[in-house]
Amino acid sequence: MEIRVEGLVKHYRSEGRTVKALDRVDLHIPSRSIFTLLGPSGCGKTTLLRCIVGLETPDEGEIRIGDQLVWSRRQGIAVPTEKRGLGMVFQSYAIWPHMNVFDNVAYPLQVRGLPRAQVQQRTAAALRFVQLEGYGERPATRLSGGQQQRVALARALVAEPGVILFDEPLSNLDAKLREETRKELKRFLGTLGITAVYVTHDRVEALALSDTIAVMQAGRVVEVGTPRQIYFDAAHQFVADFIGRANLLPAIVREQGAGSTRVDCALGAIACAPRALPAGSAATLCLRPEFLQLHAQGASATGNVVHGRIESLAFVGDACEAEVRVGQALLLARTDPDTPLREGDAVSLSIEPAHCLLLAA
Ligand code: ATP
């Protein structure tokens, strides 16, 4: 089921102040895909999710789920949460500690008064799906964090919703379990083929899990795209900076060349991936640390080549992170963990034009 949000506005009033949590949000969430709302704390992700679910009342705009208009100020429509056909998984798993696993999952069917045999069969199927078959009798609290999250997922799925919404569901898990559960969740959602709307402020989670990411800032959706589009080809500086580590340098567009846009910046003249920006305009050059190749000075290098000196070098396990002074600029570069280079070494840095992203200033 697809979701369409148009012109959504939501203010909160507390302690005499008014906060604009959503500022005219337009969004199309395609059906059968994982759609992530990503942004820093306070940008309005949860508010948007809660408006879609029906737990918050917007001030203006419209929300459609599938063919149904579920909220419209203009038309005076406000479909209650339980009639919107949605499943939800929260950050706190909201597992009921006094119930066993089976009863936790069966609850949404029991409150609807479904016949016992049907409850039994559908709950067993949901538990099988999240690979918790055989755990039904176990007290819900006697499960690991990852297993409890799967119980929450099974409970959201058991009512067979057209859309499932996740609000930071993995944030209570430790880093390793979080990664495992994320992979598992992606597999589950892929198998189910339903629409999933996922809220997170964790960029790696968003990149790894999503078909589409909407980046939010101060109550607005700034950019929407696939993970690769958002990471490699962002249009806005805020998005490029938020989605990954980046060296951002002010630049002036010099000319449009054959297959590249040439700029001047603190590194000198740099050939960049083509961007339709007029000569003379101000821009920001975005260089991802993993695409800066470090070489001992004198070694051959291709692409844009600049020269500098390593100011600091930190071993971080899967890489060495070097801060390289090039004139006025201090660039962060990631290189091999077993690099022979040392702090103080004179080095060349090469950067392919395709990995020099220009952003409108
Ligand atoms: P986080 O990642 O920290 O959960 P978020 O992006 O989900 O943040 P929201 O929780 O949607 O952001 O909040 C958006 C803005 O609205 C913030 O400025 C927040 O302080 C404010 N806000 C949210 N809920 C309320 C409320 N019940 N009363 C007053 N202000 C609120």
Side-chain angles (χ1 to χ4, degrees), residues 12-14 19 21 39-48 168 199 201:
Y12 290 108
R13 283 164 200 88
S14 73
V19 177
S41 184
C43 71
K45 309 176 294 288
T46 297
T47 303
L48 179 53
E168 308 239 11
V199 161
H201 62 263

Side-chain angles (χ1 to χ4, degrees), residues 248-250 265-268 307-308 311 324-331:
L248 297 172
L249 301 168
C265 66
L267 306 178
H307 305 287
E311 276 201 3
V324 182
R325 171 70 59 190
V326 181
Q328 295 290 307
L330 188 65
L331 299 177

Side-chain angles (χ1 to χ4, degrees), residues 175-228:
K176 209 160 176 350
L177 189 55
R178 197 180 166 121
E179 196 177 320
E180 278 166 24
T181 313
R182 184 182 76 212
K183 284 187 200 148
E184 214 168 53
L185 187 61
K186 186 170 175 139
R187 199 170 58 243
F188 288 150
L189 292 174
T191 313
L192 278 172
I194 64 171
T195 308
V197 188
Y198 193 94
V199 161
T200 184
H201 62 263
D202 182 325
R203 61 193 175 82
V204 176
E205 202 165 290
L207 289 168
L209 194 66
S210 318
D211 294 307
T212 310
I213 299 173
V215 181
M216 293 185 68
Q217 178 190 25
R220 308 197 77 152
V221 173
V222 187
E223 221 168 309
V224 180
T226 64
R228 281 175 186 276

Side-chain angles (χ1 to χ4, degrees), residues 101-284:
V101 169
F102 183 93
D103 289 335
N104 260 283
V105 176
Y107 185 79
L109 304 179
Q110 284 163 344
V111 291
R112 286 183 196 185
L114 260 62
R116 225 176 108 83
Q118 211 178 331
V119 171
Q120 193 76 26
Q121 179 250 322
R122 280 173 65 173
T123 304
L127 283 173
R128 206 162 38 242
F129 183 74
V130 298
Q131 293 166 8
L132 285 177
E133 208 171 9
Y135 284 79
E137 296 307 313
R138 190 168 308 182
T141 46
R142 295 236 319 267
L143 293 175
S144 71
Q147 287 169 331
Q148 289 191 24
Q149 195 51 278
R150 279 193 261 156
V151 172
L153 178 62
R155 192 177 50 200
L157 293 175
V158 79
E160 295 172 6
V163 180
I164 183 158
L165 302 109
F166 297 88
D167 192 359
E168 308 239 11
L170 308 183
S171 54
N172 284 340
L173 307 180
D174 67 47
K176 209 160 176 350
L177 189 55
R178 197 180 166 121
E179 196 177 320
E180 278 166 24
T181 313
R182 184 182 76 212
K183 284 187 200 148
E184 214 168 53
L185 187 61
K186 186 170 175 139
R187 199 170 58 243
F188 288 150
L189 292 174
T191 313
L192 278 172
I194 64 171
T195 308
V197 188
Y198 193 94
V199 161
T200 184
H201 62 263
D202 182 325
R203 61 193 175 82
V204 176
E205 202 165 290
L207 289 168
L209 194 66
S210 318
D211 294 307
T212 310
I213 299 173
V215 181
M216 293 185 68
Q217 178 190 25
R220 308 197 77 152
V221 173
V222 187
E223 221 168 309
V224 180
T226 64
R228 281 175 186 276
Q229 282 167 344
I230 295 286
Y231 191 83
F232 289 121
D233 203 19
H236 298 80
Q237 186 169 324
F238 171 80
V239 174
D241 198 19
F242 189 77
I243 198 69
R245 294 207 293 171
N247 297 287
L248 297 172
L249 301 168
I252 299 288
V253 177
R254 216 167 51 173
E255 59 185 5
Q256 296 294 344
S260 71
T261 301
R262 303 185 73 81
V263 299
D264 285 324
C265 66
L267 306 178
I270 297 288
C272 304
R275 263 280 146 103
L277 293 169
S281 62
T284 300

Side-chain angles (χ1 to χ4, degrees), residues 53-66:
V53 177
L55 296 172
E56 289 296 349
T57 306
D59 299 326
E60 287 171 39
E62 291 191 340
I63 304 171
R64 272 192 175 73
I65 300 175

